[in-house]
Amino acid sequence: MEQALHDDNRGSIVAIRGSVVDVFFEKKLPHIYSILLTGRSSDIIIEVQTQLDVHHVRGIALTGTQGLSRGMTAADTGNTLQAPVGRETLSRMFNVFGRTIDRLDQPKNVVWRSVHRNPPPLASRSTRTEVFHTGIKIIDLLSPLERGGKAGLFGGAGVGKTVLLTEMIHNMVSRHHGVSIFCGIGERCREGEELYRDMQKAKVLDSMVMVFGQMNEPPGSRFRVALAALTMAEYFRDDEHEDVLLLIDNIFRFIQAGSEISGMMGQMPSRLGYQPTMGTELSRVEERIANTGTGAITSIQAVYVPADDFTDPAAVHTFSHLSASLVLSRKRAGEGFFPAVDPLQSSSKMLGPGIIGKRHYDLSREIRKVLAQYAELKDIIAMLGLEQLSVDDRKLVARARRLERFFTQPFYTTGQFTGIEGRTVELEDTIDGCERILRDEFQDYPESALYMIGSIAEAKKNTALNAT
């Protein structure tokens, strides 16, 4: 991070409580969000959070505070936290300060911009509503994403959020030829390293920027990494006029870091211990993700749901910003249905006949109806057996089970583990396959023929191969 000292405005540290540092300034009080440098090598970075009185400010350390003591000098840089932007950031991995963490040299031809920026004004936003196709069947058909919109991946631990995000990165680069920015908030260092290697193998790293605030870093660092990634994304949208896919893993960790900071700053907690400013902090990030006349930032955000409780305030606040919600089901993951998107709980504001067309809209409603009726019949099947159902109900169950298997899909990012090559499926192929299943064209085919395939044509091919 490039910082220059601000007309030698220096203060003295008077109190240190963990990551919270109070600094006394005799001459001029630094502005809110100003960066202070302190420590023996000026390597401890503090962001001013509040002005206590005419001489004292309170800040949060974005780095560790080991070695810091009262009486040490703190220098006001006069700048807020800065992030590097430019084409040279592509294929690189950064931390919250814009320093590279991929063991390669720092990029030279970059411009440094403040991470605290305003959302695009309403007058510059695009009013066109467009669907963002992912090539993933269950998402494109039942919960289509909006170009320039925000989609949430809701799920507990281990249901496949990160795998789904990495697959979308692969599909974005291969289908849309845009730029992908991966923002890791509270990620394990292992996950970041694995993602870097996977993207290298998939040959998509040249169109990606990765920004990480790792799990072992102070809450201030994790809290600001989303703003750094957004600043980079805004450069490609506004200056380069490109479409950007911003993937955030995990937005809950952003809220969690804010909660830690709020507690350390002595704020009174609100419901379930969350910070009282959670709504405002989340809005500052979400409102900058927008579709303008020159380009769009489409965001897909993994949202960890504590104890699978969707009434948790973190999940509820995030829901309100989204144009699509993809709920990942632990039950479906346990049954081997990947991606484990729950078709009945997931939703999208794009699912209207005026946006996606009448044929797609009617089909999605019919599929949800079939799957909902199947869910109601499951208890009867478990108690009495399939034979006790009427002929019509048995046909409905057969259709629903084949649809569930058709919605599974092999991913490119998991091909090395499953041995099955990944597939991207066009929306027209998905619609055609579902319509034919609902017409009972595949009632004589084994259910396994529809499992982990791309288009419906593969079911016939697999059955023919098994027959020989």
Side-chain angles (χ1 to χ4, degrees), residues 39 135 228 264 272 315 317 330 361 364 430 468:
M264 288 189 292
L272 295 184
H317 274 74
R330 191 174 304 282
Y361 174 71
S364 67
T430 305
T468 56

Side-chain angles (χ1 to χ4, degrees), residues 6 35 40 116 143 171 178 184 221 247 250 272 280 324 335-336 349 360 363 374 378 403 418-419 436:
H6 183 57
I35 292 294
R40 290 188 174 83
H116 299 281
S143 299
N171 293 356
S221 173
L247 300 119
N250 187 303
L272 295 184
T280 309
E335 291 170 351
K349 292 176 182 173
H360 182 173
L363 179 65
Y374 174 47
K378 278 183 177 176
L403 281 170
T418 61
R436 292 170 69 182

Side-chain angles (χ1 to χ4, degrees), residues 195-238:
L195 178 69
Y196 184 81
R197 304 289 169 218
D198 289 344
M199 296 301 103
Q200 225 172 15
K201 284 177 189 169
K203 297 185 172 61
V204 297
L205 201 58
D206 291 343
S207 301
M208 272 192 77
V209 183
M210 284 185 265
V211 193
F212 283 94
Q214 293 176 62
M215 195 176 271
N216 62 319
E217 294 180 20
S221 173
R222 286 180 270 126
F223 191 56
R224 291 300 180 216
V225 73
L227 300 185
L230 262 170
T231 304
M232 294 179 178
E234 286 167 340
Y235 166 81
F236 287 106
R237 179 191 66 192
D238 301 334

Side-chain angles (χ1 to χ4, degrees), residues 58-192:
R58 179 167 290 167
I60 286 287
L62 305 185
T63 55
T65 52
Q66 293 87 347
L68 203 60
S69 62
R70 284 185 294 177
M72 275 190 173
T73 300
D76 175 18
T77 63
N79 288 324
T80 57
L81 188 66
Q82 310 273 307
V85 299
R87 294 211 72 84
E88 282 207 18
T89 59
L90 291 171
S91 80
R92 304 302 302 275
M93 188 188 283
F94 298 91
N95 65 10
V96 69
F97 307 112
R99 299 176 188 139
T100 54
I101 51 174
D102 53 9
R103 300 183 188 150
L104 299 173
D105 294 335
Q106 195 77 15
K108 302 267 190 301
N109 301 320
V110 294
V111 178
W112 292 81
R113 289 184 181 171
S114 170
V115 303
H116 299 281
R117 298 165 65 84
N118 291 324
L122 287 175
S124 68
R125 299 198 182 203
S126 173
T127 54
R128 291 176 60 197
T129 304
E130 298 175 63
V131 175
F132 179 85
H133 294 296
T134 63
I136 299 170
K137 291 181 286 192
I138 194 166
I139 295 175
D140 288 345
L141 186 70
L142 298 180
S143 299
L145 308 187
E146 179 186 5
R147 178 179 174 267
K150 297 173 276 281
L153 280 179
F154 291 83
V159 293
K161 295 186 298 295
T162 304
V163 171
L164 196 50
L165 283 182
T166 52
E167 183 69 10
M168 287 182 181
I169 294 173
H170 179 279
N171 293 356
M172 169 70 177
V173 173
S174 59
R175 291 166 63 88
H176 297 273
H177 309 291
V179 173
S180 295
I181 294 180
F182 185 91
C183 175
I185 306 174
E187 286 283 272
R188 302 167 185 86
C189 57
R190 167 187 61 78
E191 292 174 330

Side-chain angles (χ1 to χ4, degrees), residues 228-254:
L230 262 170
T231 304
M232 294 179 178
E234 286 167 340
Y235 166 81
F236 287 106
R237 179 191 66 192
D238 301 334
D239 295 44
E240 299 281 341
H241 305 318
E242 292 197 61
D243 281 1
V244 183
L245 180 62
L246 174 64
L247 300 119
I248 301 177
D249 188 8
N250 187 303
I251 200 72
F252 173 78
R253 306 284 178 213
F254 167 80

Side-chain angles (χ1 to χ4, degrees), residues 14-30:
V14 294
I16 307 159
R17 292 179 300 279
S19 292
V20 178
V21 182
D22 291 354
V23 187
F24 171 82
F25 282 89
E26 179 69 39
K27 301 181 194 170
K28 182 183 174 186
L29 218 54

